[in-house]
Amino acid sequence: MLEPGEILGLRPADANGQFPARPPQRQTCGSLQQLQAHSRGIHLICAQGCWSVQILTPRLFRLRFGLRPASANGPSGDFLPRRSWDVALADEEWPPTSFQLQESPAQVHLSTSLVQVRIDRDPIRFSFQDSQGQEFCADVPFGLTWGSDGIRLCKHLHPAEHIYGLGERAGLLNKRGRRYSHWTRDCWNYDAHSDNLYQAIPFALFLRPNLCYGLFLHCTHWSQFDLGQIDPEQWAIEVRAPELDYYLIYGPTPALVLETYTQLTGRPPLPPLWALGYQQCRWSYASAAQVQTVAQQFRQRQIPCDVIYLDIDYMRGYRVFTWDPRRFPEPARLMAQLHEAGFRVVAIVDPGVKFEPEADYAVFDEGLAQDFFIRRADGHLFHGYVWPGKVLFPDFLRPGVRQWWGSWQRVLTQAGVDGIWNDMNEPALNDRPFGDGGQIVDIPLDAPQGPPDEPTTHAEVHNLYGLLMTRASREGLEQLNPNRRPFVLTRSGFAGIQRWAAVWTGDNQSSWEHLEMSLPMLLNLGLSGVSFVGADIGGFGGNATPELFARWMQMGILYPLMRGHSALGTRPHEPWSFGLEVETICRQAIQLRYQLLPYLYSLFWESSQTGSPILRPLLYEFPDDPQTYEISDQAMLGSALLAAPVVRPGVRCRAVYLPQGTWFDWWTGQAHTGPRYILVPAPLEQLPLFVRGGSVLPLAPPCPSTAHLRRDQPHLKLYPGNGSFTLYEDDGETLAHRAGAWATTFFRLQQQDSQLILGIGARQGNWIPPERSWLLEPLGHTPLSLPDTGQPQQVLWPTPEDPPFS
């Protein structure tokens, strides 16, 4: 049986978060001894433990296996109680779902309208079937085993299955054949072979033609997915936890899987419109004068930009929630000047609080007086070393600590800071001061955490540290500015992080390999429920070449979070830093981003409603086309735009795969019919970009920032074919949309022989746009202007003076 300390993961991990190899002595579940049915599912009791199967919706199942205590005389149906910090929606929050239970001497069958669960009695083994009889997610015989190091479950891998998601993972799109641990880790200079990175999201999406399903491992302890590395015909889940707990989500499409997964773990709130604009960062703009100079350059060079970041040098000696009195003597005045010019400001906040007794550092003094910092198992304060030197770490597991931390953001918001950037929150720390050759270490796994009535250890909640810090940041901003939408950016997180913050992929490098890798990393984050994502344009570490920077800026217009960033000691990486040619390319790319803002903002709204990714792999839109399953260097922006960025130096044309349908070249209007590969010109100044036939694409007029965005000149580009689009609008800033101050307009485009028909639905919602007219621009036909009445309308082409489209 399991030793309590071992199953809780208290054995030391190595520098990569890995635990010692599994010992060969393992125990198995055995045969079913007793079945207990209840209104939401069944309990299956075997000699040494119990399975619980909960049916939450026709496509969502929760399966748990718990070991009976070593001292008990018989099996137990008890499972661990729900934690207050649980990231998943509670079982009782789901409406009851009908199902059928059938028993035979060899099997137990549970059936919903979509899925049948088959359970072998001896040994207990689960498999699932869809309505077409296709088996998926089936356990191998005796697949459930356990030992002193945890619980392991092995499942069959179908030969045609491809695997995606898993949060933030380097390398190509399909993750089959790899093994990944889930343990948040500071990972400077990661590469395609790296395992643990900043995010830990134990969710995998499995796809083959006509079938898609997802598996979310509901475990915050260290865990691991072996996706066919050891045995190419099997995949395995391993947990260092007292029980195995996972959700199985049936599609049959990726969109339906993600809709249910984000219903389970939460959906992203609608961000402020300014967060969709271009954002400029550097470690560091080290003074108010430098910040003002950068802002002035953007406006003088007519390069659109919405956000400037303040990295750690705005603080006094890197102490959180302080301003350096020499470099930033009048922060409120600086913020006011930037706001006047149409900029917003986001400031970095790290979790480490400088250990500074008797120095009148109020953050430290308050935290210590209220016992808000993590202690060791022996009761002494735990400390590590980060930028300020010796630091303590707040226990964000405790609601009072989160409220206290969030309230300290007033030091920033009262000066006019608009958003918070949470960094180093895996948490990242060394065992010696920076520069002294120390090692990256974790908070001790046996360090007690949590409120007094719900105690645990760091082993259970290490992966939650970044998520709970961002929760404290977001909730604090909501309290400090009750009617403004918060913006929080985080490096670390866990499943459900999309509820609290945008995510960027950490400390990447200025290399072609990292440019190429950024796209599948963001695509897999999107397939893990995290849609507001980005990578540092130009690369954080090292020096970009002019060509690399130009290509990265072109790719960056696709990133939901479009931010340029670079490290201390590197050459300048602003858009004008690489010569006139690259500056012109960057200006044109960012201007295109701003043109697309109405389309992008509607995609963000869609994501907030359904959990859909904004940046999507082709397989998301075309899940039954196996040709899309391995494409890592193309992406869809929503359902209308297909981009094929250039990710190699010297390339001036490239192959592009176009799935089924008609596709129009963004630059020339030339039509292509898929599915097929085509060779596309890709001069340095041009991103290969295509529009799906039937698309209604809303565009905005040029503007230097979203503060100057005009709402009285809506422009709709129409591409022949059959399709639809819902345009979402609101004030872009406040929380009034929660009270109905929003508007949607539904457009349907139809192609009937040579006739193109646009139907405009009645405006929904209570937000009223300014008086305006739609500028309708159908490809191949004469544009026209149509007053926006808010009522249903229909327009047909060709008009009397318009030649038929050919």
Side-chain angles (χ1 to χ4, degrees):
M1 294 303 297
L2 299 171
E3 295 297 328
E6 292 175 324
I7 192 62
L8 289 174
L10 301 184
R11 296 170 299 109
D14 64 21
N16 294 315
Q18 300 282 0
F19 288 82
R22 198 171 58 255
Q25 297 81 15
R26 313 274 304 165
Q27 300 186 58
T28 60
C29 185
S31 62
L32 174 60
Q33 295 185 346
Q34 183 181 352
L35 185 150
Q36 299 172 348
H38 55 89
S39 61
R40 288 186 176 269
I42 58 175
H43 283 167
L44 305 170
I45 300 172
C46 61
Q48 293 179 306
C50 178
W51 275 101
S52 167
V53 183
Q54 299 256 76
I55 300 172
L56 302 178
T57 77
R59 58 169 41 91
L60 176 63
F61 305 82
R62 184 182 184 185
L63 289 85
R64 305 172 75 182
F65 176 76
L67 294 163
R68 67 178 177 88
S71 59
N73 295 319
S76 168
D78 295 335
F79 291 91
L80 297 176
R82 177 179 169 82
R83 294 297 205 181
S84 63
W85 52 80
D86 200 324
V87 300
L89 189 66
D91 294 348
E92 57 270 19
E93 295 293 321
W94 298 90
T97 297
S98 62
F99 63 93
Q100 290 76 47
L101 171 63
Q102 294 179 311
E103 296 188 62
S104 70
Q107 287 187 328
V108 177
H109 289 192
L110 285 172
S111 301
T112 72
S113 58
L114 297 174
V115 177
Q116 183 182 89
V117 187
R118 297 189 305 175
I119 308 164
D120 294 344
R121 290 179 176 268
D122 188 14
I124 294 178
R125 185 171 75 97
F126 292 86
S127 64
F128 301 82
Q129 281 190 347
D130 66 8
S131 59
Q132 307 303 312
Q134 297 182 99
E135 184 179 72
F136 61 96
C137 201
D139 298 349
V140 303
F142 299 100
L144 177 70
T145 62
W146 61 87
S148 60
D149 60 339
I151 305 172
R152 182 178 174 88
L153 177 64
C154 294
K155 290 180 172 289
H156 285 293
L157 263 178
H158 188 279
E161 276 180 346
H162 295 64
I163 307 173
Y164 310 99
L166 292 107
E168 181 183 60
R169 298 295 177 179
L172 299 177
L173 191 62
N174 179 18
K175 298 306 180 184
R176 183 165 179 161
R178 297 285 302 274
R179 181 169 58 189
Y180 293 104
S181 305
H182 309 292
W183 192 256
T184 59
R185 172 79 49 179
D186 179 13
C187 193
W188 164 260
N189 200 23
Y190 60 83
D191 59 28
H193 303 288
S194 298
D195 182 5
N196 297 302
L197 297 183
Y198 312 99
Q199 301 274 330
I201 303 179
F203 172 77
L205 188 82
F206 297 78
L207 177 66
R208 63 187 197 246
N210 304 307
L211 179 64
C212 182
Y213 65 94
L215 188 143
F216 170 48
L217 180 60
H218 188 220
C219 175
T220 59
H221 293 78
W222 181 93
S223 62
Q224 188 177 80
F225 287 172
D226 182 327
L227 303 174
Q229 184 180 78
I230 293 178
D231 184 338
E233 297 180 353
Q234 294 183 13
W235 78 282
I237 304 165
E238 187 168 351
V239 298
R240 315 289 191 193
E243 67 180 39
L244 176 68
D245 184 355
Y246 70 91
Y247 293 86
L248 190 283
I249 308 169
Y250 169 71
T253 65
L256 287 170
V257 171
L258 281 176
E259 185 173 2
T260 301
Y261 171 69
T262 55
Q263 190 178 2
L264 177 67
T265 60
R267 290 178 179 145
L270 197 61
L273 179 61
W274 57 261
L276 278 60
Y278 179 69
Q279 308 186 21
Q280 183 63 49
C281 186
R282 180 169 174 81
W283 176 32
S284 257
Y285 299 127
S287 69
Q290 287 186 19
V291 172
Q292 289 172 322
T293 298
V294 170
Q296 290 165 2
Q297 288 293 307
F298 273 103
R299 295 295 180 253
Q300 290 172 6
R301 296 173 183 271
Q302 299 183 348
I303 300 174
C305 182
D306 261 85
V307 184
I308 294 180
Y309 280 70
L310 303 180
D311 210 317
I312 56 176
D313 291 299
Y314 79 87
M315 305 179 208
R316 179 174 62 87
Y318 309 130
R319 296 165 180 84
V320 291
F321 306 125
T322 65
W323 291 96
D324 186 281
R326 294 178 297 106
R327 292 194 295 267
F328 291 85
E330 297 180 280
R333 182 167 178 250
L334 173 64
M335 302 305 129
Q337 291 171 340
L338 292 170
H339 290 162
E340 181 68 22
F343 289 96
R344 304 296 181 129
V345 179
V346 176
I348 195 170
V349 177
D350 293 346
V353 175
K354 184 174 179 63
F355 183 87
E356 197 170 31
E358 300 180 5
D360 294 326
Y361 177 32
V363 183
F364 169 80
D365 293 340
E366 284 186 15
L368 188 64
Q370 298 183 65
D371 198 23
F372 282 166
F373 299 120
I374 294 174
R375 294 180 177 270
R376 296 181 178 274
D378 61 10
H380 290 94
L381 287 168
F382 169 76
H383 71 268
Y385 293 90
V386 197
W387 303 115
K390 183 177 180 179
V391 298
L392 306 180
F393 291 90
D395 182 3
F396 292 114
L397 212 61
R398 296 155 59 186
V401 177
R402 293 198 298 272
Q403 184 178 11
W404 167 76
W405 186 266
S407 71
W408 264 106
Q409 293 173 141
R410 65 186 182 274
V411 173
L412 305 174
T413 59
Q414 288 173 358
V417 168
D418 301 281
I420 298 296
W421 167 25
N422 287 157
D423 195 8
M424 307 289 282
N425 55 342
E426 295 74 32
L429 61 144
N430 279 18
D431 60 356
R432 299 176 63 184
F434 281 11
D436 283 6
Q439 299 293 319
I440 295 175
V441 295
D442 286 331
I443 294 171
L445 298 183
D446 60 351
Q449 284 192 245
D453 60 344
E454 204 176 8
T456 186
T457 64
H458 190 72
E460 180 181 358
V461 296
H462 168 86
N463 285 327
L464 291 176
Y465 196 86
L467 179 144
L468 292 173
M469 181 188 181
T470 60
R471 177 178 176 179
S473 299
R474 183 177 186 88
E475 290 177 340
L477 291 176
E478 289 173 342
Q479 290 293 318
L480 293 165
N481 293 301
N483 197 36
R484 289 182 61 187
R485 296 180 210 174
F487 174 76
V488 180
L489 177 64
T490 183
R491 190 169 76 173
S492 184
F494 186 70
I497 188 61
Q498 65 271 7
R499 295 176 59 194
W500 309 109
V503 169
W504 97 103
T505 57
D507 296 340
N508 62 359
Q509 299 295 307
S510 296
S511 70
W512 290 95
E513 292 79 8
H514 274 255
L515 167 64
E516 179 179 15
M517 198 163 57
S518 71
L519 192 57
M521 288 182 76
L522 299 182
L523 294 174
N524 274 319
L525 275 164
L527 292 177
S528 306
V530 188
S531 59
F532 198 0
V533 290
D536 287 343
I537 293 171
F540 176 70
N543 294 312
T545 65
E547 183 185 11
L548 173 61
F549 193 84
R551 291 304 194 189
W552 212 319
M553 188 63 76
Q554 290 171 348
M555 185 187 285
I557 69 173
L558 309 173
Y559 296 170
L561 177 83
M562 187 183 186
R563 184 181 82 149
H565 189 28
S566 53
L568 186 71
T570 63
R571 64 169 293 176
H573 277 64
E574 290 74 32
W576 54 84
S577 302
F578 297 89
L580 184 58
E581 181 186 21
V582 173
E583 178 183 341
T584 301
I585 291 170
C586 291
R587 180 183 299 106
Q588 292 171 346
I590 298 173
Q591 287 174 342
L592 176 56
R593 167 74 171 211
Y594 277 72
Q595 267 190 282
L596 293 171
L597 280 176
Y599 175 67
L600 276 169
Y601 195 56
S602 298
L603 295 180
F604 273 82
W605 168 75
E606 178 189 348
S607 183
S608 73
Q609 301 300 301
T610 68
S612 58
I614 294 158
L615 183 65
R616 307 169 181 178
L618 273 62
L619 63 90
Y620 182 88
E621 292 288 328
F622 302 93
D624 295 330
D625 181 357
Q627 192 65 49
T628 66
Y629 292 179
E630 298 283 355
I631 295 179
S632 297
D633 62 348
Q634 296 179 213
M636 301 287 297
L637 190 59
S639 61
L641 294 175
L642 185 154
V646 173
V647 294
R648 288 284 186 271
V651 171
R652 297 298 182 265
C653 67
R654 63 153 293 175
V656 176
Y657 179 71
L658 299 176
Q660 186 173 7
T662 302
W663 300 86
F664 295 92
D665 189 299
W666 171 268
W667 308 105
T668 67
Q670 181 181 356
H672 303 271
T673 302
R676 64 181 175 125
Y677 276 95
I678 62 172
L679 193 62
V680 179
L684 183 60
E685 68 275 8
Q686 191 166 296
L687 167 73
L689 186 65
F690 297 85
V691 187
R692 197 174 185 173
S695 293
V696 178
L697 204 59
L699 302 176
C703 61
S705 76
T706 58
H708 305 92
L709 184 68
R710 296 187 63 173
R711 306 295 190 98
D712 59 349
Q713 298 178 342
H715 179 191
L716 298 177
K717 294 193 74 170
L718 313 176
Y719 291 82
N722 297 305
S724 62
F725 185 76
T726 299
L727 174 68
Y728 175 85
E729 299 173 281
D730 62 23
D731 66 20
E733 176 76 19
T734 73
L735 297 174
H737 64 288
R738 294 181 179 176
W742 51 266
T744 57
T745 306
F746 180 74
F747 301 90
R748 182 177 295 281
L749 191 63
Q750 294 177 285
Q751 179 81 50
Q752 296 180 0
D753 299 324
S754 61
Q755 192 173 58
L756 192 64
I757 306 170
L758 175 66
I760 305 176
R763 186 189 308 124
Q764 305 295 312
N766 297 327
W767 185 78
I768 306 299
E771 184 176 342
R772 64 189 187 180
S773 293
W774 303 108
L775 174 59
L776 307 177
E777 185 183 354
L779 185 67
H781 293 281
T782 302
L784 62 84
S785 180
L786 182 72
D788 176 14
T789 65
Q791 299 302 313
Q793 301 183 76
Q794 189 177 78
V795 187
L796 285 77
W797 288 272
T799 59
E801 67 277 4
D802 185 28
F805 176 75
S806 59

